[in-house]
Amino acid sequence: MKRIKILAFAALLGMVAGCNKYLDIVPDNIATIDYAFAMRSTAERYLFTCYNYMPATGDFNTNVAFMGADEVWFMYPSKDIDATNWNMARGGQNKVNPISNYWSGAATGKPLYQGIRDCNVFLEKISLVKDIDDDERARWIAEVKFLKAYYHFFLLRMYGPIPLVRKNIDVMNELEEMKRPREHFDTCVNYISRLLDTAAVDLPMRIQNEVAELGRVTRPIALALKAKLLVLAASPLFNGNPDYADFGKGVKLFPNTNDPDKWVKAAAACKAAIDACHEVGMRLYRFRPVINTLVMNSQIRTQMDVRMAVTDKWNSEIIWANTQSRVNQLQRFSMPKLYNWTSVSGNPKGMYAATEKMAELFYTKNGVPIDEDNQFNYAERYSVRKAAPEDSALVKKGTESAYLHFDREQRFYANLGFDRGIWFGNGSSDDNNTNINTAMYIQARKSQMAAQAGHTNYSITGYWPKKLIHYLSVVEKSGNFTMQQYPYPEMRLADLYLLYAEAENEANGPTNQAFEYIDSVRSRAGLKGVKESWDTYSNKGPKYASKEGLRKIIQQERMIELAFEGHRFWDLRRWKIAHIEMNKPITGWDIDQEQPEAYYRLKVLFMQTFTMREYLWPIQEREILNNRNLVQNPGW
């Protein structure tokens, strides 16, 4: 780890780019930390500097969880994207220049240890500010404690055991004192948990001044992060993982045995966070358009419940939205070509391509997996079928599409755009967009509007992640694209509900509480409860009756509900199934074909591989050489 710097000038200039208004806080030639805390206004700028280390999670070029797994794919090589994080999915992680390096800040990663040091400076100096009342000072301290905890959590999830920076070391200390070792995983979890507990006490339950302060931390946010932390700690990757039993340098860094009580604590933390969210009126989102402006059938309305839970900023389900990272380019790269425009500046790229394995992940309309449904013709899922009038809100009436695109749950249609699939939105403000004769739909076969027309700007799989695009983001016939931006939702209530169902099942088996929260999420998606769905439609019987069976159901429910939001990447790792899921081929439709029978043939795009060492990030080799007290992660 780099030598810790707390010289006043370095601490001020160590702020992230793009925050110049917060840097101009001292007179010329007087760069002192004490001056930054001489009055409330300059201290507030330092507070915002601590926020500015937040990872840009709404940008697919910088959030490794968007492109680093198996949810999306691109043509290779691609000149329009920063392929750094995609190289993670292609097996390109390394220890010389690690991808998404948040330890020291490189290769799309921010320097989170620098952020932690700035948080420590704030906590050490905030007492110097005189023109601030005690309540506001306490709130600011709580916010920075939360950020310090979050940055430690972010590193812990990537690297496993990490050095904890409880306080900054004086620059005059011996160099060896600055070379901190990694600490036991459980020690890290306990420290972060305590930070969140102390922060929660002085955080507001809700933001009162929404115009100026939305995005700042509240008590429900702190409790939700603690729930995520404890679920992570209880999960198989870190809870008695035998692969890490002997890992350490003189002192073991991972727990030797599985501790079931960690799931009990995680369930309690999830329930406490849910209760806090409910207390301030949070609930699963339901789309409520302005009266008489949108007329839609029940299927489209359910799809909007799902899509807008992500894209409707500050809705009732959003626990925490990252105002440091707004979703704009992600929409542009996800939007298919709906008109026959010529190339213009700012037009949609349409190249953020959902993989075929994600299309198969979603349930049937009966709420069970496609290979379990006793009414779904799984063996013929790649055959061609013509859309009937009753399909007209989902697939263009009278056109042919794959059988896989029929009789699916509404989250399938909310999440995915596909050839001949109806595209609701694009600024529509009346019912014409759902009229069977005028509805917009995707035409993706060879020589058609959304097909490949050059080296780039097309979906290599034949699927687009519709869910990420606000329905009022508009592409004009000229090709100009006007986006409705929204802050990236770091946490939403459905995520928390499913974490609680998972923790409750792992702690106590299939309980009523576990079913209550998973069924709430399913109900919003227009599905019956788990028991009724499996009893009625599954050819594998009541899988939900055992802890192991319900675990599989909950995992699939999370992968469906949170698809394309950056959760699958981390869930596959903490469940320790990434080496199973990410050693399967990446496939898509044969997009170079004109006729539907030829188009709807699977084509292998890449043989993905995932080795056991990739569960944890490598620490950059240079850091290991500079700090001999560090030990490299297994396999690196």
Side-chain angles (χ1 to χ4, degrees):
M1 190 169 62
K2 291 180 179 178
R3 181 173 180 171
I4 297 174
K5 303 174 182 178
I6 62 168
L7 290 171
F9 186 68
L12 281 176
L13 296 185
M15 303 171 184
V16 295
C19 308
N20 292 336
K21 64 179 179 178
Y22 299 130
L23 296 179
D24 188 19
I25 62 176
V26 295
D28 292 341
N29 305 317
I30 307 177
T32 68
I33 284 292
D34 287 353
Y35 185 89
F37 291 91
M39 59 183 116
R40 181 193 176 282
S41 59
T42 51
E44 186 176 37
R45 292 177 184 177
Y46 207 105
L47 167 67
F48 294 142
T49 294
C50 294
Y51 271 98
N52 282 326
Y53 288 98
M54 280 285 298
T57 43
D59 186 336
F60 70 94
N61 280 320
T62 58
N63 184 351
V64 69
F66 280 141
M67 293 200 295
D70 56 356
E71 290 183 291
V72 297
W73 213 253
F74 303 88
M75 71 294 293
Y76 183 84
S78 179
K79 66 183 180 65
D80 287 326
I81 65 167
D82 180 347
T84 302
N85 286 334
W86 185 37
N87 285 332
M88 174 83 81
R90 294 173 57 86
Q93 184 60 291
N94 66 95
K95 65 181 180 181
V96 176
N97 185 27
I99 296 168
S100 195
N101 179 2
Y102 281 88
W103 188 288
S104 51
T108 79
K110 287 190 175 184
L112 290 190
Y113 271 116
Q114 181 176 325
I116 291 169
R117 292 195 297 272
D118 278 353
C119 288
N120 282 339
V121 169
F122 182 94
L123 295 172
E124 292 166 6
K125 300 294 186 178
I126 187 61
S127 62
L128 299 177
V129 182
K130 304 302 182 184
D131 58 333
I132 184 174
D133 63 53
D134 291 342
D135 288 343
E136 187 169 45
R137 192 195 312 270
R139 179 190 174 188
W140 288 8
I141 290 172
E143 289 181 76
V144 174
K145 284 183 177 179
F146 170 88
L147 292 169
K148 181 179 174 181
Y150 178 72
Y151 299 150
H152 275 100
F153 163 80
F154 203 95
L155 291 164
L156 183 76
R157 185 171 57 172
M158 298 176 79
Y159 296 95
I162 55 174
L164 296 174
V165 186
R166 296 174 177 83
K167 62 180 181 178
N168 293 342
I169 298 176
D170 193 292
V171 72
M172 300 308 294
N173 284 18
E174 294 294 329
L175 185 60
E176 285 304 310
E177 293 182 43
M178 301 181 186
K179 295 180 179 180
R180 301 184 180 186
R182 304 171 72 172
E183 301 196 35
H184 193 279
F185 183 82
D186 288 347
T187 301
C188 296
V189 171
N190 292 337
Y191 175 70
I192 298 169
S193 180
R194 286 194 300 270
L195 265 180
L196 291 170
D197 285 341
T198 57
V201 173
D202 292 316
L203 288 171
M205 284 297 292
R206 59 162 59 88
I207 296 297
Q208 300 296 331
N209 184 3
E210 294 186 351
V211 173
E213 296 185 349
L214 278 174
R216 290 176 65 173
V217 182
T218 62
R219 190 179 306 166
I221 293 173
L223 296 178
L225 180 60
K226 180 180 177 180
K228 277 183 169 287
L229 169 71
L230 296 191
V231 167
L232 178 75
S235 297
L237 181 62
F238 295 122
N239 192 2
N241 183 352
D243 294 339
Y244 300 151
D246 298 321
F247 175 64
K249 193 173 184 178
V251 178
K252 291 183 178 180
L253 294 176
F254 285 94
N256 290 330
T257 58
N258 178 278
D259 182 1
D261 191 53
K262 288 183 178 179
W263 282 115
V264 176
K265 294 176 181 177
C270 288
K271 188 60 168 63
I274 289 171
D275 290 345
C277 291
H278 288 174
E279 184 179 338
V280 294
M282 292 183 191
R283 62 191 183 280
L284 293 182
Y285 177 83
R286 298 285 184 169
F287 180 60
R288 295 291 182 267
V290 178
I291 297 174
N292 296 327
T293 61
L294 285 175
V295 180
M296 62 189 73
N297 64 31
S298 60
Q299 293 172 311
I300 296 292
R301 183 176 290 276
T302 300
Q303 292 175 37
M304 293 298 288
D305 289 344
V306 174
R307 287 176 64 183
M308 294 295 283
V310 175
T311 62
D312 189 0
K313 57 186 177 182
W314 311 118
N315 69 69
S316 63
E317 186 169 336
I318 302 298
I319 300 172
W320 188 26
N322 185 356
T323 53
Q324 302 294 319
S325 185
R326 294 183 176 273
V327 180
N328 45 54
Q329 286 294 85
L330 183 56
Q331 294 188 70
R332 183 178 175 220
F333 277 74
S334 299
M335 187 78 176
K337 191 174 181 181
L338 298 174
Y339 298 112
N340 195 25
W341 61 68
T342 56
S343 179
V344 295
S345 176
N347 67 315
K349 293 292 187 179
M351 58 190 289
Y352 195 72
T355 57
E356 190 273 338
K357 69 162 62 175
M358 293 302 294
E360 297 210 14
L361 176 68
F362 291 86
Y363 295 140
T364 68
K365 66 181 181 181
N366 297 320
V368 296
I370 59 175
D371 61 345
E372 291 186 31
D373 193 319
N374 54 32
Q375 296 183 357
F376 187 81
N377 194 346
Y378 180 74
E380 297 295 323
R381 65 193 183 279
Y382 306 140
S383 62
V384 174
R385 171 175 160 182
K386 181 174 285 189
E390 58 268 24
D391 303 312
S392 60
L394 309 173
V395 180
K396 181 67 174 176
K397 179 187 175 183
T399 63
E400 293 178 313
S401 196
Y403 188 92
L404 187 67
H405 300 158
F406 294 86
D407 299 326
R408 305 297 297 277
E409 62 160 312
Q410 292 306 312
R411 285 180 297 190
F412 175 86
Y413 303 102
N415 274 266
L416 293 171
F418 54 88
D419 178 55
R420 270 49 185 182
I422 296 298
W423 189 274
F424 177 78
N426 205 45
S428 173
S429 59
D430 55 38
D431 65 343
N432 287 338
N433 205 240
T434 56
N435 183 288
I436 60 175
N437 297 313
T438 61
M440 272 187 278
Y441 66 100
I442 298 174
Q443 301 173 65
R445 299 171 204 161
K446 184 178 180 180
S447 301
Q448 295 180 348
M449 284 191 293
Q452 178 180 1
H455 173 68
T456 186
N457 297 2
Y458 66 95
S459 167
I460 196 171
T461 65
Y463 288 106
W464 292 262
K466 183 197 300 184
K467 174 189 193 176
L468 299 175
I469 303 170
H470 196 290
Y471 85 106
L472 292 179
S473 291
V474 177
V475 183
E476 300 171 6
K477 290 185 178 180
S478 65
N480 288 318
F481 190 30
T482 303
M483 284 174 285
Q484 294 288 325
Q485 298 184 25
Y486 57 93
Y488 175 74
E490 291 284 340
M491 303 178 193
R492 61 185 180 96
L493 201 55
D495 176 15
L496 194 53
Y497 279 10
L498 294 174
L499 287 177
Y500 179 50
E502 178 183 353
E504 178 64 20
N505 179 58
E506 296 297 338
N508 302 307
T511 64
N512 290 335
Q513 288 87 349
F515 288 115
E516 176 186 351
Y517 283 93
I518 188 174
D519 286 350
S520 293
V521 175
R522 289 170 62 87
S523 177
R524 193 260 298 276
L527 298 175
K528 296 181 174 64
V530 168
K531 292 181 180 179
E532 184 176 357
S533 295
W534 260 261
D535 286 345
T536 308
Y537 301 109
S538 176
N539 56 27
K540 295 189 177 180
K543 183 166 67 174
Y544 60 79
S546 69
K547 177 187 292 189
E548 294 72 23
L550 187 57
R551 176 187 301 142
K552 292 182 181 299
I553 291 171
I554 292 170
Q555 288 180 352
Q556 185 160 355
E557 193 71 39
R558 278 189 64 81
M559 288 188 282
I560 291 171
E561 175 64 27
L562 303 172
F564 309 116
E565 296 179 48
H567 294 272
R568 179 181 172 91
F569 179 93
W570 300 111
D571 281 344
L572 292 180
R573 282 167 165 75
R574 69 178 180 85
W575 291 330
K576 205 184 173 186
I577 61 173
H579 66 285
I580 299 172
E581 292 298 321
M582 292 177 62
N583 274 310
K584 297 176 180 178
I586 299 294
T587 59
W589 299 123
D590 192 347
I591 62 172
D592 296 323
Q593 306 301 321
E594 283 188 58
Q595 298 304 313
E597 292 80 8
Y599 180 91
Y600 292 117
R601 293 184 303 200
L602 281 190
K603 183 177 181 180
V604 174
L605 304 174
F606 189 78
M607 294 300 299
Q608 196 172 25
T609 59
F610 184 95
T611 62
M612 298 304 289
R613 72 177 184 174
E614 290 175 85
Y615 275 104
L616 297 178
W617 255 248
I619 300 173
Q620 190 171 19
E621 194 170 49
R622 183 181 62 190
E623 299 286 349
I624 299 292
L625 294 175
N626 288 341
N627 182 0
R628 294 296 183 179
N629 290 326
L630 291 177
V631 57
Q632 183 60 278
N633 272 328
W636 295 105

